[in-house]
Amino acid sequence: MEDEPPSRKAEEGSLSKRSQRQQERQGKLPRRRKEVKRSLRRPDCPEHLLGGSVHWLPEHPGSEASASVEDTAESCPKRWDRCRRGHFLHGPYPATHFGPKACVLPNPTSVMHIQDPASQRLTWSKPPLNVLVIRKIRDETLLEPFKELCRFLVEEKHLMVYVEKKVVDDGSLMRDDSFSAFRNQLCTFREGFDDISDCIDLIICLGGDGTLLYASSLFQGSVPPVMAFHLGSLGFLTPFKFESFRTEVDKVFEGNAAIILRSRLKVKVVKGTFQRNEQLLSAQENGILPHNHINNEAGKITLQLQVLNEVVVDRGPSSYLSNVDLYLDGRLITSVQGDGVIVSTPTGSTAYAAAAGASMIHPNVPAIMVTPICPHSLSFRPIVVPAGVELMITLSPDARNTAWVSFDGRKRQEIQHGDSIKITTSCFPVPSICCHDLVYDWFDSLAQCLHWNVRKKQTRLTDASDSSETEN
């Protein structure tokens, strides 16, 4: 008997599959349908983490979807572990796959890693040996706390203590006979001359917020953990009280202390690189920065800093409005006309930016704030951009005067036409040790230092009849 043609076999196969589907729809094959349903009722993540009930539509038994669902069912325990969270300060980690085919493009060059803030705990791979003590100068009330802390670290903890030379050479300490013999056991350094970035294990600050800003400026790369005691005027960044410094220092040395990773700004001041002439105006009016705006031969990086609070560009001593252009990742965003502009970190959002009308952002939020200073436009409101973008500030071509820039209130210098200031998020944050935890400490600082939402409370009604009389 001759073989049947392939086309006829295909037709019979398709007819048998079609009849099989019809029988399944009519309920003649209930077992197979139940098995498919059972395999499809296993979601990737727990239902309560997805924010509601999840409905799964059954597919045909032989389709690709059913095979993928079976694979999902086998890998469900692993995905359950990824979705399960020990703390719920943030929601479940968002899924990066959308539907059966779409997903977020993986980025191997990413520099930011966001984690649950409650999991940010300090630990020591080796016991700390070298401690840097920063003291607020020109404040004689800190002499006794400074001497007491140094003696405790050297004599009881047997640590090597580093202090700045101008602190040790203070006239009050030089006249103190009890401290003279102890001075030789301290290691001294001079800012700008001695590099101590590779030998410090822990930083202890005595004073106000300026001591922490100064400690940050000493480390342009990786910053050791910072423990700040409130002995200054404001103390927003200094959560510890000095009365219990022995107990607090022992806790930190034991490890497992909460920390806030305060992001910093990486700033470059480049002289003579930006060229904007009449031939380029049409392209820049469309918001596109031409590729030939940089002249590598003329360009020179005159300053590169890590900034903890903010970069301030202002009009300086001139009576004219400042007029600077703001670029974001190479695109012209806007021109700032006013007294200036503030580019700040979340830590700096409670400093100059807050006085200029910006919102206050928790230090753990990865962001960069752009706040105008007295803008000549009522609609120019402060904005927040993602951490990691590159901001560039230049003088506008029609600016009547130059501008001035400062970094955390230091290293103030003039910006001419052709100069540019490039700002992005630094890879080296400042790990600030918390007294309680990073949520309580921040809100406590808002209430104690800035009196945030402090008001006289409304008295409760003592008699229910009072409310009815008011309504009538």
Side-chain angles (χ1 to χ4, degrees):
M1 187 176 179
E2 297 180 357
D3 295 335
E4 295 180 359
S7 60
R8 187 171 180 180
K9 284 186 177 183
E11 291 177 358
E12 290 181 358
S14 62
L15 289 175
S16 61
K17 289 181 179 179
R18 194 176 305 165
S19 61
Q20 185 176 4
R21 294 195 193 101
Q22 292 177 355
Q23 291 177 0
E24 289 178 355
R25 293 194 186 100
Q26 295 174 2
K28 292 184 179 181
L29 296 175
R31 178 179 299 177
R32 190 169 193 178
R33 184 177 177 87
K34 287 181 180 178
E35 290 176 356
V36 173
K37 273 191 173 183
R38 190 179 298 114
S39 65
L40 291 169
R41 292 177 64 88
R42 307 172 80 175
D44 290 350
C45 298
E47 183 174 327
H48 72 281
L49 292 181
L50 295 174
S53 59
V54 181
H55 301 280
W56 296 82
L57 298 178
E59 299 287 343
H60 299 300
S63 64
E64 296 177 0
S66 63
S68 64
V69 170
E70 290 177 0
D71 295 338
T72 301
E74 294 177 359
S75 61
C76 186
K78 296 180 181 179
R79 299 198 177 188
W80 177 286
D81 293 337
R82 288 204 303 265
C83 295
R84 185 171 53 191
R85 299 285 297 275
H87 301 276
F88 291 91
L89 291 178
H90 293 169
Y93 187 80
T96 57
H97 289 75
F98 312 101
K101 299 292 178 65
C103 64
V104 175
L105 182 67
N107 184 10
T109 61
S110 175
V111 297
M112 298 295 295
H113 176 68
I114 304 174
Q115 62 180 358
D116 187 352
S119 65
Q120 292 178 183
R121 312 291 298 182
L122 174 67
T123 185
W124 301 100
S125 58
K126 295 180 180 179
L129 298 177
N130 303 322
V131 180
L132 171 63
V133 177
I134 302 293
R135 179 179 75 85
K136 181 181 178 181
I137 59 175
R138 295 187 299 272
D139 190 349
E140 294 186 358
T141 60
L142 298 182
L143 293 179
E144 290 301 324
F146 173 73
K147 292 187 293 183
E148 192 175 357
L149 175 63
C150 290
R151 285 196 180 95
F152 170 73
L153 295 176
V154 173
E155 297 177 358
E156 298 186 28
K157 305 300 291 185
H158 306 290
L159 301 174
M160 186 67 68
V161 177
Y162 288 76
V163 295
E164 200 168 5
K165 191 176 188 304
K166 62 182 178 181
V167 173
V168 177
D169 293 342
D170 185 89
S172 300
L173 288 177
M174 294 292 290
R175 293 188 297 269
D176 191 339
D177 296 334
S178 62
F179 190 77
S180 300
F182 181 74
R183 184 185 295 109
N184 298 329
Q185 303 182 41
L186 302 177
C187 297
T188 60
F189 72 96
R190 294 176 299 170
E191 181 188 7
F193 293 93
D194 303 319
D195 185 14
I196 59 171
S197 58
D198 294 333
C199 60
I200 300 300
D201 302 323
L202 176 67
I203 304 173
I204 299 180
C205 297
L206 302 178
D209 296 343
T211 58
L212 193 143
L213 295 175
Y214 176 68
S216 170
S217 66
L218 295 176
F219 298 86
Q220 295 300 303
S222 179
V223 184
V226 181
M227 186 179 187
F229 288 92
H230 174 39
L231 291 169
S233 55
L234 185 62
F236 192 88
L237 305 178
T238 54
F240 290 95
K241 296 181 179 180
F242 189 76
E243 290 76 10
S244 57
F245 78 94
R246 287 182 171 82
T247 304
E248 300 296 345
V249 170
D250 288 337
K251 289 181 181 179
V252 171
F253 274 58
E254 292 172 0
N256 198 25
I259 58 172
I260 295 180
L261 298 181
R262 300 185 181 275
S263 62
R264 295 194 292 178
L265 298 176
K266 180 181 178 181
V267 187
K268 294 180 182 179
V269 178
V270 187
K271 295 288 185 179
T273 61
F274 192 82
Q275 298 177 355
R276 181 176 177 179
N277 51 38
E278 296 297 332
Q279 298 178 355
L280 304 178
L281 288 179
S282 59
Q284 294 190 349
E285 287 177 354
N286 296 326
I288 302 176
L289 185 65
H291 294 289
N292 60 348
H293 77 284
I294 295 294
N295 187 346
N296 292 326
E297 295 180 358
K300 178 182 179 182
I301 299 177
T302 59
L303 185 65
Q304 183 169 336
L305 289 175
Q306 306 282 335
V307 178
L308 179 57
N309 261 2
E310 73 270 315
V311 177
V312 179
V313 180
D314 58 75
R315 58 189 175 95
S318 174
S319 59
Y320 294 109
L321 293 175
S322 67
N323 192 353
V324 297
D325 292 337
L326 178 64
Y327 292 85
L328 183 65
D329 281 343
R331 287 187 172 270
L332 177 63
I333 301 301
T334 189
S335 294
V336 182
Q337 297 184 75
D339 283 353
V341 63
I342 305 170
V343 180
S344 61
T345 63
T347 297
S349 67
T350 53
Y352 194 0
S359 298
M360 295 180 289
I361 301 179
H362 191 277
N364 235 70
V365 178
I368 300 176
M369 301 184 62
V370 180
T371 306
I373 307 173
C374 298
H376 201 254
S377 172
L378 295 178
S379 61
F380 195 171
R381 309 307 302 162
I383 60 173
V384 179
V385 298
V389 300
E390 184 182 64
L391 295 170
M392 186 172 69
I393 301 175
T394 64
L395 276 178
S396 297
D398 50 355
R400 295 183 177 183
N401 57 301
T402 61
W404 289 75
V405 60
S406 61
F407 313 92
D408 283 344
R410 307 180 71 199
K411 299 185 182 297
R412 184 172 172 83
Q413 57 184 272
E414 191 174 11
I415 300 299
Q416 306 281 349
H417 284 278
D419 300 343
S420 62
I421 306 169
K422 296 184 179 181
I423 307 170
T424 188
T425 303
S426 171
C427 297
F428 303 104
V430 176
S432 180
I433 302 176
C434 302
C435 181
H436 299 93
D437 59 70
L438 70 172
V439 175
Y440 177 85
D441 284 4
W442 191 68
F443 280 97
D444 184 62
S445 297
L446 288 180
Q448 298 296 329
C449 301
L450 301 183
H451 301 287
W452 176 70
N453 199 26
V454 176
R455 61 179 295 273
K456 186 177 181 180
K457 292 186 177 181
Q458 189 179 30
T459 58
R460 64 184 299 270
L461 296 175
T462 58
D463 191 1
S465 61
D466 294 341
S467 60
S468 61
E469 291 176 0
T470 304
E471 292 174 358
N472 294 331

